[in-house]
Amino acid sequence: MSATLRVIFGVDDASKLILPNGIPNSIEDLKGEIVRHFGLSGNFRLQYRDIDFDNEFVNLTDTSEIKDKSTVKVINLPDETITLTLTNVTQEEDDFLLSSASDTDILSSAESTSSGTSLRSQPWPTNFEIPPFSYEVQIQLEKAKQAFCSSGTLLTTSNKLRSDILDGLAAEIIKYKVYPSSTELDNVAQALITKYPFLKEKGSVTGFYGWKISLKYKMANYRTRLRSIGCPELSINAVKEKQGATSHGPNQVKKPRKAEVNYCPDYPAGETKESLEEERKALILEVKKKNNQQLIKSKMERTFAYRRQEVVKDMPFIAEFKNRWPALFSESQVNAEFTLITTVPLFSTFMSRLDHYSSQLLRVFKKKGGTARRDIDVIIAEMDKNPSVEVRRTCILKALCVYLNEKPDSLIKEYWATEDIGIDAMTEMERLALGVYIVRHDGADASDPPEDVGVVIEGCTVLRDLREVANGCAVLFGLIYCLNLSYPKELRYTFEFLQKVFMELDGNKLSTKVQVLKNKLHE
């Protein structure tokens, strides 16, 4: 009998966990289910609400203490000393690992990742906060405020004062992104005249249009200055870089296009390309060892900026990149990499939003007419045969493609084989540019659990044994960010919906088709 748990990860962060086979018999099995569904990594313990102590949280020691609809809380634990997990290593290896383990405590902190201050910690704010300006500027603004309060006089700014204000705004904007959109510049300019109403422009309908245009040019000048001092996010678009490029046109600007917060960060303080290349080589050796996931995680954090610059600048083939960075191609590391890029956790967000919107999506799907409705009915019928959460998620994702006038076969490829994937199937997979594949043995029902679920990119199987289709779709979505890939044209609306509605990344600017669907979800 299935069971449902409420899992708390932190303040204002909780998700629903559906257990098709009921509550596991052991704590380890339950933790394994939580790791699988939400993509957690690291060491943690579980707590539950104990009725003997007024429903306060206490440590969970036996799964018999919880039942259907119970609430459990995830408590992250400090990493254990890495020497406890290592056996049969040489003294030199042991000294090296102990040194790396000491770094891990620092690198895992919220304030300081492996990339130090080079990584941004938050996306563009909902309400842009105007920063404090220089002392000289603040004196002039304070006098203008007094004049405005007493007589309503608007301030006519001098060129120097206007330039100083724009410099302060540009320095604040750059903390979030170097290429703000027109809408974001509107937000900044509007926030400026809201905080300082005496800066409104008399001849402007909005009161801030001139400030927006000035800010646009100020940002262009600011980018030029940062490019000249070697900011990697801007130097990739320098003329000499583009002249040496062969895979993209000279006018193509490499910049965040899918709400990436850390698109092309600088190397960590004290690190060079050569030192990080040595870390990469050491990382390849660590992948071949057992029981050192935490060491691998710390090294992947340390080399994040190096890896991003390689992906963005060189745009390597996937097979080549997988050989250079094998540690990236695991569920836990894709989740970690995606979080570094966007500041949003991948699996917990993807699965919780998919489950949250399922009922609303089904309601909207049933109102669709024509051929699309017939195709959706065929897909949804699988849920009647097998009402498990895995099948439900798969059906929702397939029906979403159909609703958006895209083919689910472009996203999810299904193969049937008697013993293994046949030659024809292998050949077809090698031609697959991007997608999730399912392997079922001949004679199995479409609603039965698949033998294998994996992800293929550029004909290369980058991940396998992903258990369920929704998990495969989440991994594929994460890898698109990790590898700086564009959405395939035949699935651009499906991926836009996943990004902007499910993951809420750049959700203020939607295509007409996705906006209409989003509106219907909230009717």
Side-chain angles (χ1 to χ4, degrees), residues 252-474:
Q252 179 181 342
V253 177
K254 294 181 179 179
K255 64 179 182 179
R257 301 185 187 278
K258 300 188 292 293
E260 297 95 337
V261 175
N262 292 300
Y263 179 69
C264 188
D266 203 354
Y267 297 149
E271 298 285 3
T272 64
K273 183 177 181 179
E274 291 72 24
S275 66
L276 292 172
E277 174 63 16
E278 291 301 316
E279 283 285 336
R280 184 194 68 80
K281 293 177 180 178
L283 185 57
I284 292 179
L285 297 177
E286 296 303 327
V287 172
K288 300 176 182 178
K289 301 176 183 179
K290 297 181 178 180
N291 301 323
N292 63 343
Q293 287 81 7
Q294 190 58 42
L295 178 60
I296 290 174
K297 179 184 176 183
S298 69
K299 286 185 174 295
M300 288 294 286
E301 288 179 348
R302 190 191 304 274
T303 55
F304 170 70
Y306 180 46
R307 189 164 50 256
R308 284 300 296 175
Q309 291 196 30
E310 180 178 332
V311 164
V312 173
K313 291 181 179 180
D314 301 336
M315 294 182 290
F317 290 112
I318 300 304
E320 173 190 347
F321 192 75
K322 184 180 179 184
N323 289 333
R324 282 180 55 80
W325 299 97
L328 174 63
F329 296 89
S330 68
E331 292 180 67
S332 60
Q333 193 54 52
V334 169
N335 184 72
E337 193 91 347
F338 182 87
T339 304
L340 285 173
I341 295 170
T342 66
T343 72
V344 176
L346 174 60
F347 290 109
S348 59
T349 306
F350 188 96
M351 295 302 178
S352 63
R353 298 284 166 74
L354 176 56
D355 292 338
H356 171 75
Y357 282 112
S358 289
S359 298
Q360 295 156 274
L361 284 169
L362 285 173
R363 171 178 55 79
V364 174
F365 293 161
K366 291 178 180 179
K367 296 180 181 180
K368 186 77 169 179
T371 304
R373 172 60 186 273
R374 292 194 294 271
D375 292 340
I376 289 175
D377 286 343
V378 172
I379 293 171
I380 300 302
E382 297 298 332
M383 293 170 52
D384 298 330
K385 299 178 183 178
N386 185 345
S388 68
V389 64
E390 290 84 1
V391 173
R392 180 184 178 90
R393 288 171 173 172
T394 302
C395 292
I396 293 294
L397 290 169
K398 287 183 176 181
L400 174 64
C401 294
V402 175
Y403 188 90
L404 295 171
N405 297 322
E406 295 175 340
K407 297 180 179 179
D409 289 345
S410 299
L411 175 63
I412 303 167
K413 296 284 187 178
E414 195 160 340
Y415 301 102
W416 302 81
T418 53
E419 294 181 356
D420 199 355
I421 302 178
I423 296 177
D424 293 340
M426 290 295 292
T427 303
E428 184 180 346
M429 287 175 63
E430 290 174 358
R431 292 197 298 263
L432 183 61
L434 181 149
V436 176
Y437 73 81
I438 310 172
V439 177
R440 302 184 192 277
H441 277 291
D442 192 26
D445 190 85
S447 60
D448 292 336
E451 294 293 324
D452 185 26
V453 176
V455 172
V456 175
I457 301 177
E458 291 183 1
C460 175
T461 302
V462 294
L463 270 168
R464 59 175 75 246
D465 299 325
L466 298 177
R467 300 173 302 279
E468 61 172 297
V469 174
N471 203 39
C473 291

Side-chain angles (χ1 to χ4, degrees), residues 7 18 31 35 64 131 133-134 150 183 187 192 208-210 221 262 267 296 301 318 373 380 385 388 396 418 442 471:
V7 183
I18 299 176
K31 291 172 68 175
V35 168
S64 63
F133 298 111
S134 66
S150 60
T183 301
N187 294 340
L192 177 66
F208 59 77
Y209 181 75
N221 294 334
N262 292 300
Y267 297 149
I296 290 174
E301 288 179 348
I318 300 304
R373 172 60 186 273
I380 300 302
K385 299 178 183 178
S388 68
I396 293 294
T418 53
D442 192 26
N471 203 39

